[in-house]
Amino acid sequence: MIARRNIYIKLLSAHLVVAVCFVMAACIPEPLEVEGIPVVQPQIVVNTQIIPDQSLVVLLTKSFGALDANEDSDAQELLDQIAVEDATVTISNTQQTYNLTALGSGIYGGVFIPFAAGEEYTLHVASETLGEVRATTTVKPMISFDDIEAELYFDGYDDTLVQVIYTLTDPMEKNWYMLNVQHIERAELIEDALNPRSFMRLLDDVEFDGPKYGEAFRAFQRDFHAGDTVAVFLSNISEEYYNFMKLRLDNRFSFIEYLSEPVNYPSNVEGGKGFFNLYVPDIRTFVLEEQ
């Protein structure tokens, strides 16, 4: 059971790293030789994820400017530079406070936290070098796939994609969804996640016709092969986070805007950046087979 939990934590840690590090693609701009620009103090950037066995993973990085990186920057070295390693991290509800453990690379984790849908939690981060941030959110109920298949798809040219076919049952209340397809290297989950090739799809259920919804889509941000392992995530997210991620998705190739100080995206983190979320994804893994 412990080994299984460690695998889950690594997998979700990788998922969090993807959410932040897809900005580290090859088109990071060339450094510019300019003078007289005031130095903007870095802020703590928060990303979080809970998983079905009541574990929590928090990724803490610090914001940085477009002039701090260039096309030759190494993704792992850059992550090491922006990871917040000196923080004390707690999460609390009205009954109890839970201390999170530093796991390295800016990742903090906690287990056996009894998250319940509709319950409010507050995250508190205290860093000796970057100060304190707080954020409060409500646990979102988990929504699972009814059925799902993932298979190789040949586009008729040179690329091999993953085609995902799924159905879900959409509850009566208003909902927003995020789907991710991530290539998984079992031996190097974190390292593989640093490669910014995670596919993301966002859905607003205003587009649904009735409680049952199904579709097929193709993940196109890498060339997949038979034998590859992929994970497909379905997450029920808040409207605020949906809008936050939609801006990121719309501007994912505008790296100057993304990296510039300050980051002009909405945030529920007081004194920092990023987003504090408590949603549980339904995660399905597939080994792709030759068609």
Side-chain angles (χ1 to χ4, degrees):
M1 188 68 179
I2 293 176
R4 182 181 179 185
R5 180 174 297 112
N6 289 338
I7 292 174
Y8 275 135
I9 288 178
K10 287 183 179 179
L11 179 59
L12 268 300
S13 299
H15 186 52
L16 281 169
V17 173
V18 169
V20 174
C21 295
F22 67 81
V23 300
M24 301 173 188
C27 52
I28 291 177
E30 292 274 7
L32 303 177
E33 295 183 4
V34 292
E35 297 180 355
I37 296 179
V39 176
V40 179
Q41 294 301 315
Q43 292 182 293
I44 295 174
V45 181
V46 174
N47 281 271
T48 59
Q49 182 66 66
I50 56 177
I51 52 181
D53 67 347
Q54 298 181 325
S55 298
L56 172 69
V57 178
V58 178
L59 173 64
L60 300 178
T61 57
K62 60 183 177 182
S63 57
F64 63 100
L67 303 183
D68 297 329
N70 59 61
E71 63 180 3
D72 297 321
S73 296
D74 179 83
Q76 183 62 58
E77 291 180 0
L78 186 54
L79 178 61
D80 291 340
Q81 292 174 17
I82 65 176
V84 178
E85 304 278 16
D86 64 348
T88 299
V89 184
T90 62
I91 184 168
S92 58
N93 57 13
T94 56
Q95 292 83 35
Q96 191 170 350
T97 296
Y98 302 88
N99 296 308
L100 274 59
T101 302
L103 303 174
S105 298
I107 298 169
Y108 297 78
V111 296
F112 304 124
I113 302 175
F115 294 109
E119 189 169 8
E120 188 176 83
Y121 279 83
T122 296
L123 176 73
H124 177 236
V125 177
S127 164
E128 294 182 4
T129 56
L130 297 172
E132 299 186 29
V133 300
R134 291 180 181 273
T136 299
T137 195
T138 301
V139 179
K140 295 289 294 181
M142 180 179 180
I143 295 178
S144 300
F145 292 109
D146 291 338
D147 298 289
I148 180 172
E149 298 178 3
E151 59 188 14
L152 286 172
Y153 176 84
F154 299 96
D155 67 355
Y157 297 96
D158 296 327
D159 295 326
T160 307
L161 315 178
V162 169
Q163 179 167 270
V164 177
I165 305 170
Y166 73 92
T167 60
L168 60 82
T169 300
D170 181 49
M172 289 292 295
E173 67 272 12
K174 193 75 180 72
N175 292 285
W176 295 264
Y177 299 98
M178 179 173 65
L179 293 107
N180 298 82
V181 179
Q182 172 63 32
H183 177 261
I184 299 297
E185 289 286 351
R186 295 179 180 178
E188 298 179 337
L189 294 176
I190 301 296
E191 291 80 355
D192 187 70
L194 288 173
N195 192 342
R197 295 182 179 181
S198 176
F199 175 87
M200 180 189 302
R201 178 165 173 76
L202 298 170
L203 294 173
D204 182 338
D205 71 358
V206 71
E207 305 168 3
F208 297 0
D209 183 17
K212 289 287 187 179
Y213 179 76
E215 65 167 350
F217 68 87
R218 293 162 190 162
F220 54 80
Q221 288 178 268
R222 64 167 290 130
D223 190 21
F224 294 91
H225 303 281
D228 284 351
T229 299
V230 297
V232 184
F233 300 75
L234 170 63
S235 304
N236 175 29
I237 60 178
S238 67
E239 181 181 11
E240 294 76 15
Y241 190 59
Y242 172 88
N243 292 330
F244 172 78
M245 293 307 297
K246 191 172 189 303
L247 282 172
R248 275 191 168 183
L249 193 62
D250 290 344
N251 294 313
R252 63 184 169 185
F253 297 116
S254 181
F255 290 98
I256 294 177
E257 177 182 343
Y258 185 93
L259 297 174
S260 296
E261 303 280 10
V263 180
N264 296 315
Y265 291 136
S267 174
N268 65 351
V269 180
E270 298 175 14
K273 302 294 183 183
F275 228 92
F276 174 40
N277 287 289
L278 292 178
Y279 60 81
V280 186
D282 183 16
I283 308 170
R284 307 295 179 92
T285 60
F286 300 89
V287 178
L288 301 177
E289 298 180 356
E290 192 75 53
Q291 295 296 303

